[in-house]
Amino acid sequence: MKSLKDVFSVFFPDVCVNCQSRLLRNEQFLCTFCLNDLPVILYNDTTKKMLQNIFYGKVPIEDVYSFLYFTKFGITQKLIHQLKYKKEQNIGVFLGRRMCYDIERLKLFEDVNLVLPVPLHKKKLKERGYNQVDKFGELLSAYLQVPYETDVLQRVSINETQTLKQRFERFSNTDSKFLISDFECFENKHVLLIDDVITTGATLVSCCEELLKVKNIKISVCTMAYTEIG
């Protein structure tokens, strides 16, 4: 006798996020053909420098790693869209598991003490219902065997209050800023800051600038994807 899930799949089959072909039983989110076409960033001296240059001269970071190239209408964009706007949070797990193979092979983030997501503003979090990097972050924290902290770094609008405006006077190029609620949580720690996509890096730089107010902190960055500019 077929399970309810099997019956449901006859009428509402899972399809590939990219090509819309029906997925086989052992496939998830992408068919085998599209999975093999994932635009994985080959991590070498050139791509490492490419990613480091995003932060060069702005904030000091220890390591930076990103898994996929993000292009308009590409496979990565379709995956991230499902993750952010269609409540497909397990895409973070799907990508994170593949990323961990490279992280282990490249011996990255071995002395990280905690994983920290770029936070959503509380209004955006309420509207969406979740931070799209949470499942991804939870998987990384389990793999690295370190805590995943979601409440210590907060995102605030620069227009929320006059007090916050004064605190963030020196920032003028982005729409949102960040506050640390507990500095001791990060003291003498190596923090792995995670996000879904790096584009200009402005949001990650703003996070790092706030984190660097903490005594003896080190920061590394890990994202699911990277957008080439120009």
Side-chain angles (χ1 to χ4, degrees):
M1 183 177 179
K2 289 187 175 182
S3 68
L4 183 61
K5 182 178 180 180
D6 289 334
V7 173
F8 187 83
S9 68
V10 171
F11 298 99
F12 303 98
D14 290 331
V15 297
C16 175
V17 167
N18 184 55
C19 71
Q20 301 300 300
S21 64
R22 182 169 178 170
L23 294 179
L24 302 177
R25 183 180 291 273
N26 63 337
E27 295 174 334
Q28 185 181 26
F29 299 115
L30 294 174
C31 68
T32 300
F33 295 105
C34 291
L35 183 62
N36 289 333
D37 282 340
L38 270 178
V40 176
I41 298 172
L42 180 62
Y43 197 83
N44 54 33
D45 290 342
T46 300
T47 53
K48 182 178 180 179
K49 184 176 181 181
M50 171 188 77
L51 296 170
Q52 288 175 332
N53 282 343
I54 298 169
F55 304 93
Y56 182 76
K58 300 171 185 174
V59 290
I61 59 168
E62 301 296 312
D63 279 312
V64 55
Y65 168 76
S66 194
F67 183 48
L68 300 173
Y69 287 106
F70 183 103
T71 56
K72 194 172 184 180
F73 306 124
I75 299 176
T76 305
Q77 185 190 48
K78 293 173 184 176
L79 284 169
I80 298 297
H81 180 84
Q82 292 290 315
L83 171 65
K84 292 179 71 170
Y85 305 114
K86 302 298 182 179
K87 301 186 185 301
E88 291 284 4
Q89 296 185 67
N90 280 330
I91 286 176
V93 178
F94 173 74
L95 294 177
R97 285 174 176 161
R98 284 157 178 78
M99 292 172 69
C100 284
Y101 290 116
D102 269 357
I103 289 171
E104 181 173 5
R105 178 177 60 84
L106 297 165
K107 300 187 183 305
L108 295 171
F109 315 135
E110 291 183 321
D111 64 341
V112 159
N113 302 116
L114 63 87
V115 177
L116 180 71
V118 171
L120 295 181
H121 188 275
K122 58 186 178 182
K123 291 182 180 178
K124 176 65 72 175
L125 183 60
K126 184 176 180 180
E127 175 184 310
R128 186 174 296 166
Y130 62 97
N131 185 331
Q132 68 271 12
V133 299
D134 274 346
K135 293 290 186 183
F136 170 60
E138 289 166 4
L139 184 139
L140 283 180
S141 73
Y143 168 74
L144 296 170
Q145 298 182 24
V146 298
Y148 180 58
E149 298 287 351
T150 60
D151 300 320
V152 186
L153 183 67
Q154 301 169 4
R155 190 170 192 150
V156 293
S157 169
I158 57 173
N159 297 317
E160 280 188 76
T161 68
Q162 188 61 37
T163 301
L164 292 178
K165 282 182 184 179
Q166 291 171 354
R167 176 160 189 177
F168 295 119
E169 266 180 348
R170 65 192 181 93
F171 301 108
S172 59
N173 297 322
T174 57
D175 295 328
S176 297
K177 303 303 170 217
F178 302 90
L179 284 172
I180 295 172
S181 60
D182 181 2
F183 276 67
E184 290 184 1
C185 178
F186 298 126
E187 285 185 2
N188 305 307
K189 299 288 179 60
H190 184 177
V191 174
L192 181 60
L193 184 63
I194 65 167
D195 205 0
D196 51 4
V197 182
I198 305 178
T199 305
T200 65
T203 299
L204 286 161
V205 167
S206 289
C207 283
C208 290
E209 286 175 314
E210 179 67 14
L211 289 169
L212 286 166
K213 297 175 184 178
V214 176
K215 179 181 178 182
N216 197 29
I217 191 173
K218 295 193 296 183
I219 305 169
S220 289
V221 173
C222 180
T223 71
M224 301 178 203
Y226 161 75
T227 306
E228 288 187 288
I229 306 296

